């Protein structure tokens, strides 16, 4: 019985002519080039909002209800100069870092179990379905009953706020890893935790970073809300307690200064920490465009 030889496909190679150098026909005007800078557009928008705030406050003419932008800025810089606002920010960030780090560690353990064993997957799906819809602030009274009137109760609710959205996002990212990458990892003999760390985590990094950003936002707003409602429980009192205390004393400009600090810290974390993390990882590795 004769066997048919597969047809041989001919190969062709053409030498392409070098592309002609592009010449700049017309240089864009300076104003148009500046307007293409994202930071400048956002700065103009913020300046416009501040101007609207100033005009609305002057028209309303009641400092107790709505202080002007300049009064709020003065209260903000006075709080920084006296150290009062800085101290409150340090207290809040110290609690936040503890809860955020513990939430990340627990989310990674749960997700690693979920992708390694069927029982772990069932456990993660059940716990996420049960606790993800539950507001973290609703657990604070129980946390204070179990852990006492201290920072431990605040850390507990922050862990709850971070854990479930981060675990859900990370697990979804692991599930989207292509089968080819999984097979390549197994061909190298990887299994269990080394398989998760060396294959799944780098491949699912965009989803993990998104989960970290969502977890950070949940943790920050949960901490401020907890300090607003039960701020005295943390002993020293953080930024939320600063807002609550000044509201009771009718220092509305300081209340707005505390809110401005909350917003500025959120912007700094979003545009400095997470933007740098994305630029040096997922964008640099071509896993997400920077457009």
């Amino acid at each position: 019985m004769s066997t048919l030889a597969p047809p041989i496909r001919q190969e062709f190679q053409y030498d392409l002519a070098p592309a002609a150098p592009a010449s700049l026909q017309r240089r864009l005007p300076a104003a148009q080039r500046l307007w293409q800078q994202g930071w400048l557009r956002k700065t103009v928008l913020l300046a416009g909002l501040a101007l609207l705030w100033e005009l609305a406050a002057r028209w309303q003419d009641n400092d107790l209800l709505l202080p002007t932008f300049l009064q709020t800025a003065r209260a903000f810089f006075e709080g920084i100069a006296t150290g009062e606002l800085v101290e409150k920010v340090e207290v809040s960030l110290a609690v936040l870092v503890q809860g955020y780090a513990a939430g990340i560690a627990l989310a990674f353990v749960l997700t690693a179990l979920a992708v390694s064993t069927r029982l772990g997957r069932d456990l993660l799906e059940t716990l996420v379905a049960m606790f993800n819809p539950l507001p973290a602030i609703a657990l604070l009274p129980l946390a204070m009953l179990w852990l006492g009137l201290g920072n431990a109760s605040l850390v507990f609710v922050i862990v709850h706020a971070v854990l479930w959205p981060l675990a859900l996002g990370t697990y979804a990212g692991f599930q989207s890893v292509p089968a080819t990458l999984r097979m390549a990892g197994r061909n190298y003999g990887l299994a269990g935790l080394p398989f998760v760390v060396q294959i799944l985590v780098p491949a699912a990094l965009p989803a993990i970073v998104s989960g970290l950003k969502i977890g950070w936002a949940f943790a920050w707003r949960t901490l401020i809300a907890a300090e607003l409602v039960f701020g005295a429980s943390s002993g020293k009192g953080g930024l939320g307690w600063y807002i609550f205390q000044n509201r009771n004393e009718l220092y509305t400009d300081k209340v707005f200064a505390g809110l401005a600090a909350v917003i500025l810290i959120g912007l700094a974390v979003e545009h400095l920490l997470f933007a740098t993390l994305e630029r040096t990882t997922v964008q640099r590795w071509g896993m997400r465009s920077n457009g």
Side-chain angles (χ1 to χ4, degrees), residues 49-259:
L49 291 175
L51 179 61
L52 288 177
W53 177 2
E54 182 74 20
L55 294 177
R58 288 180 183 274
W59 175 77
Q60 198 265 344
D61 196 19
N62 189 337
D63 297 346
L64 284 178
L65 293 180
L66 182 62
T68 64
F69 174 77
L70 294 178
Q71 288 175 327
T72 301
R74 189 181 306 116
F76 181 81
F77 288 112
E78 285 179 357
I80 293 178
T82 59
E84 183 184 12
L85 192 56
V86 176
E87 180 186 358
K88 302 301 181 185
V89 169
E90 289 177 352
V91 171
S92 292
L93 289 181
V95 177
L96 178 71
V97 169
Q98 297 175 41
Y100 192 60
I104 291 174
L106 287 175
F108 183 78
V109 170
L110 274 179
T111 313
L113 286 175
V115 297
S116 302
T117 64
R118 179 177 300 176
L119 183 61
R121 182 169 64 248
D122 295 339
L123 176 66
L124 178 64
E125 291 176 353
T126 304
L127 292 180
V128 167
M130 288 173 56
F131 293 114
N132 195 32
L134 185 63
I137 195 67
L139 292 176
L140 187 58
L142 279 180
M144 294 171 65
L145 182 64
W146 294 339
L147 304 174
L149 305 178
N151 286 338
S153 55
L154 295 178
V155 171
F156 179 83
V157 295
I158 293 173
V159 169
H160 174 82
V162 174
L163 174 57
W164 309 117
L166 178 57
L168 191 61
T170 305
Y171 182 66
F174 286 175
Q175 293 294 98
S176 64
V177 174
T180 306
L181 282 179
R182 295 173 180 270
M183 293 171 61
R186 293 192 179 97
N187 286 338
Y188 278 103
L190 298 176
L193 187 60
F195 179 77
V196 173
V197 174
Q198 299 182 37
I199 299 297
L200 296 184
V201 170
L205 200 56
I208 295 174
V209 173
S210 297
L212 288 173
K213 293 168 69 175
I214 295 173
W216 142 255
F218 281 8
W220 187 226
R221 71 180 65 169
T222 298
L223 174 63
I224 298 301
E227 289 179 342
L228 277 170
V229 180
F230 303 99
S233 68
S234 61
K236 296 180 181 178
L239 196 52
W241 178 246
Y242 173 84
I243 296 171
F244 180 78
Q245 196 173 26
N246 283 293
R247 195 267 297 176
N248 286 340
E249 298 174 0
L250 299 180
Y251 292 131
T252 314
D253 53 346
K254 291 187 177 182
V255 172
F256 275 78
L259 295 173

Side-chain angles (χ1 to χ4, degrees), residues 3-26:
T3 58
L4 296 176
I8 299 176
R9 184 177 181 180
Q10 294 184 351
E11 296 183 356
F12 300 93
Q13 183 174 358
Y14 298 97
D15 295 328
L16 299 177
S23 59
L24 187 61
Q25 298 295 328
R26 184 173 65 88

